[in-house]
Amino acid sequence: MKTKLAIFGGPGSGEIVAQSVVGLDDRFEFIGYLNDGLPRGGKLLGGDVLGTFGQWSSLPDDVQFIAPLHKVGEMEARLEIISRLGLPDNRWATVIDRAAAVADNSTVSFGTAITCFALVGPSNRVGRLVAMWPGAQVGHDAQIGDFAFIGRNSIVSGYCTVGTGAFIGSGSVVRERCRVGRFAVVGAGTTVISDVPDYAIVAGRPARILRVAKHGSE
Ligand SMILES: CC(C)(COP(=O)(O)OP(=O)(O)OC[C@H]1O[C@@H](n2cnc3c(N)ncnc32)[C@H](O)[C@@H]1OP(=O)(O)O)[C@@H](O)C(=O)NCCC(=O)NCCS
């Protein structure tokens, strides 16, 4: 039986996850989006806007959800929004695109979206509410924290740790055994060769700290 799926969000990120389940996935029946900014009934890729975020609880009990709300500069606030929704763990779906690959001995927790051409190698632990965008790769023996974002064609190498809410921009490489801190930002096209502190924003090859975001404001 197909799992009914609703997506928190909409244009852009929501549609990227919808792309993984619309039309070609026999595991999910995509029923639409929850969005605070779009009118109910509005149309996006593969579905309608069903209502606001807060209306999730009015949907039938067999609907599951995913929340690809990751946004650079807003990761901590977005995670708080999701936490405040109060969904029980069993209402979160895990979406793994048919064209993604996850090694059998890796674990992927609930609420996580692994989109097309993403790869999770052996012995990794991928947390809750994580987004791996198309072409993102995690090597082996790495830990990806809750609500982390790994951008298009980025590589997180072996034995790395990515903290809760860290944002790794498109086309970046994190060298093996590095730690990317909680709510840190790795700019697009960055090569990380040493640990990134919590809340730091780094960019360049090799990565340099641009600044450290004041707690909760970035
Ligand atoms: C790192 C980032 C967050 C910084 O944004 P910002 O705070 O607005 O920074 P600015 O654009 O003001 O740039 C500040 C400095 O950092 C440099 N810089 C910014 N981003 C950079 C990057 N990705 N690589 C190298 N240098 C970068 C700028 O050239 C500038 O240098 P200067 O002070 O010598 O002129 C942003 O540039 C970025 O890369 N975001 C990720 C985008 C992404 O991958 N999105 C995925 C969407 S799916």
Side-chain angles (χ1 to χ4, degrees):
M1 204 174 72
K2 289 188 180 187
T3 301
K4 292 186 177 126
L5 180 76
I7 294 177
F8 289 101
S13 297
E15 292 178 298
I16 288 171
V17 175
Q19 192 184 346
S20 289
V21 293
V22 170
L24 42 85
D25 199 303
D26 54 9
R27 297 162 296 176
F28 293 103
E29 177 193 342
F30 178 52
I31 65 164
Y33 302 87
L34 294 165
N35 190 295
D36 286 349
L38 295 174
R40 193 181 182 118
K43 295 223 175 290
L44 294 170
L45 175 66
D48 298 336
V49 177
L50 304 169
T52 60
F53 281 9
Q55 289 173 318
W56 73 266
S57 57
S58 65
L59 294 172
D61 288 348
D62 60 348
V63 176
Q64 291 199 323
F65 299 87
I66 199 133
L69 298 171
H70 312 69
K71 188 172 180 191
V72 67
E74 294 183 20
M75 292 291 278
E76 195 165 27
R78 296 286 180 108
L79 181 54
E80 278 170 22
I81 289 169
I82 294 169
S83 303
R84 277 201 300 270
L85 292 170
L87 266 77
D89 294 353
N90 66 1
R91 296 300 297 275
W92 290 109
T94 301
V95 172
I96 299 175
D97 192 285
R98 288 271 185 230
V102 177
D104 285 348
N105 64 350
S106 284
T107 58
V108 177
S109 195
F110 56 82
T112 285
I114 299 181
T115 61
C116 58
F117 310 124
L119 297 175
V120 176
S123 304
N124 294 293
R125 281 197 289 160
V126 180
R128 300 179 293 156
L129 302 162
V130 170
M132 286 183 63
W133 252 209
Q137 297 188 34
V138 176
H140 60 92
D141 299 284
Q143 293 190 37
I144 310 299
D146 295 343
F147 199 60
F149 174 86
I150 307 178
R152 290 173 191 273
N153 293 331
S154 285
I155 296 172
V156 174
S157 306
Y159 299 107
C160 284
T161 303
V162 175
T164 296
F167 184 102
I168 298 178
S170 309
S172 296
V173 176
V174 182
R175 189 168 84 177
E176 71 276 10
R177 298 180 193 279
C178 287
R179 174 183 182 273
V180 178
R182 289 166 53 84
F183 299 106
V185 174
V186 173
T190 292
T191 302
V192 171
I193 60 169
S194 58
D195 290 354
V196 176
D198 293 351
Y199 292 96
I201 299 169
V202 303
R205 296 176 181 229
R208 301 275 181 235
I209 295 180
L210 300 182
R211 61 185 185 278
V212 178
K214 195 167 146 245
H215 180 88
S217 68
E218 291 263 4

